[in-house]
Amino acid sequence: MTTDEVLDGVDLGGRTALVTGPAGGLGTETVRALAAAGARVILAARAISAAEAVAARIWDAHPGAELDILGVDLADLDCVRALGDRIADRGLPIDILINNAGVMYTPFARTRDDFELQFGVNHLGHFALTTALLPALIAAAERSGVPARVITLSSDAHKAHPVDLADPNFVEREYNKFVAYGQSKSANALMTVELQRRFGDQGLRAFAVHPGVCATGIARHMSRDDMAEMKRMAADTKNSLANLKAIPEAAATSVWGATAPELDTLGGAYLADCALGVAAEHATDPETAEALWTLSATLTS
């Protein structure tokens, strides 16, 4: 399915969505699809000029689209908190939060707050943003009577590597970019499980999403050797790399998770191909999810 097929006949008028990483790839398509369905969409972007270009293209196709652009750098917790404060100051309810931004297989680097880059951006940055926006999400659910949705992009790459709770930031371990990416995607799924447990009774529905394999800018750090390693890791998963998706197909599960009414009773699930997927046990274990939440809260406090 494509995003337009998922949202065919869906009216998101009166609802507000916030999407991270809107300036390219899946994020751009997610913003476009939600806006075309009537949602007000906040583009939470690190590259403001690129987000402005995206907004201009969407306005050309949909002149009535409601789009706002707000800056955020997920590698800088002060910046993440500032975005949360701006949302609160405006009194904006957030009906849909899509934690879409990410980095993949990067050379070793650390965020401004000294976290390993992939764990810091993919998980801790989104953890800090999600927790900062909890009042806006809960307020949206109370206002509308419809559960607010939190979509966090994971990946089937999580299946190879659990989170190392003792050394998530590679202080003691030798850095391995495949391990770092895999554990960050496991962390995305675990955050979803614990977010649902803690706040499901306050009107939140959280979902982790595997978008599938798609050629986007997130692969800009990958070499031919990296592609060979990906194929080796995926050897036991039939056709996992052969089924290359177009961007509207890869973004479809995010918008399905954000809007499908049949998911209202399935919070905490892992989604793939616009259906319920299956995550690894290490990425769904409730005790691990709670321990990661506690660790993440400490690291981002």
Side-chain angles (χ1 to χ4, degrees):
M1 297 183 71
T2 66
T3 51
D4 286 337
E5 289 171 337
V6 168
L7 294 175
D8 184 30
V10 175
D11 181 5
L12 297 177
R15 307 194 75 194
T16 298
L18 186 148
V19 181
T20 66
L26 305 188
T28 295
E29 174 61 14
T30 300
V31 171
R32 184 208 63 80
L34 293 173
R40 176 184 184 181
V41 186
I42 298 169
L43 290 73
R46 182 175 60 86
I48 297 297
S49 60
E52 289 172 341
V54 167
R57 293 197 300 271
I58 294 173
W59 277 319
D60 283 343
H62 306 283
E66 293 187 74
L67 304 173
D68 290 325
I69 299 171
L70 297 178
V72 68
D73 183 351
L74 293 167
D76 182 345
L77 291 182
D78 285 343
C79 189
V80 173
R81 295 185 190 103
L83 175 59
D85 290 342
R86 291 183 72 180
I87 297 296
D89 290 343
R90 292 186 181 190
L92 286 175
I94 303 295
D95 300 277
I96 299 167
L97 169 61
I98 299 187
N99 293 319
N100 166 83
V103 294
M104 183 172 74
Y105 301 153
T106 58
F108 181 72
R110 292 200 178 277
T111 69
R112 181 178 177 182
D113 303 281
D114 208 30
F115 307 130
E116 184 275 315
L117 184 64
Q118 296 189 81
F119 187 71
V121 169
N122 296 348
H123 170 59
L124 291 175
H126 279 127
F127 175 87
L129 179 62
T130 301
T131 52
L133 294 180
L134 280 171
L137 289 158
I138 292 169
E142 291 175 346
R143 178 204 62 181
S144 68
V146 177
R149 299 281 178 97
V150 179
I151 306 299
T152 302
L153 267 69
S154 181
S155 165
D156 273 1
H158 84 271
K159 294 179 180 179
H161 302 289
V163 177
D164 186 334
L165 293 171
D167 187 24
N169 289 301
F170 291 87
V171 175
E172 303 295 335
R173 293 183 288 167
E174 181 180 356
Y175 179 69
N176 179 303
K177 59 187 172 183
F178 296 100
V179 174
Y181 181 71
Q183 81 154 1
S184 75
K185 297 291 100 179
S186 286
N188 293 148
L190 288 164
M191 184 186 83
T192 295
V193 170
E194 185 65 6
L195 182 65
Q196 181 64 40
R197 186 187 73 83
R198 288 176 179 246
F199 300 102
D201 61 357
Q202 296 183 53
L204 264 63
R205 298 295 181 270
F207 300 97
V209 164
H210 168 55
V213 181
C214 180
T216 70
I218 197 173
R220 60 188 173 274
H221 295 289
M222 294 186 67
S223 65
R224 289 184 178 181
D225 289 342
D226 294 339
M227 285 298 299
E229 177 63 12
M230 269 187 68
K231 290 178 181 179
R232 186 196 66 77
M233 291 190 299
D236 293 335
T237 306
K238 186 177 180 181
N239 295 327
S240 63
L241 296 180
N243 183 24
L244 187 66
K245 292 185 176 182
I247 286 175
E249 295 169 334
T253 304
S254 291
V255 299
W256 181 71
T259 61
E262 61 265 34
L263 293 174
D264 272 348
T265 60
L266 299 171
Y270 182 82
L271 309 178
D273 295 324
C274 296
L276 293 179
V278 179
E281 185 176 349
H282 65 248
T284 57
D285 175 66
E287 292 184 2
T288 305
E290 183 176 11
L292 176 64
W293 186 283
T294 299
L295 174 64
S296 301
T298 299
L299 291 173
T300 60
S301 65

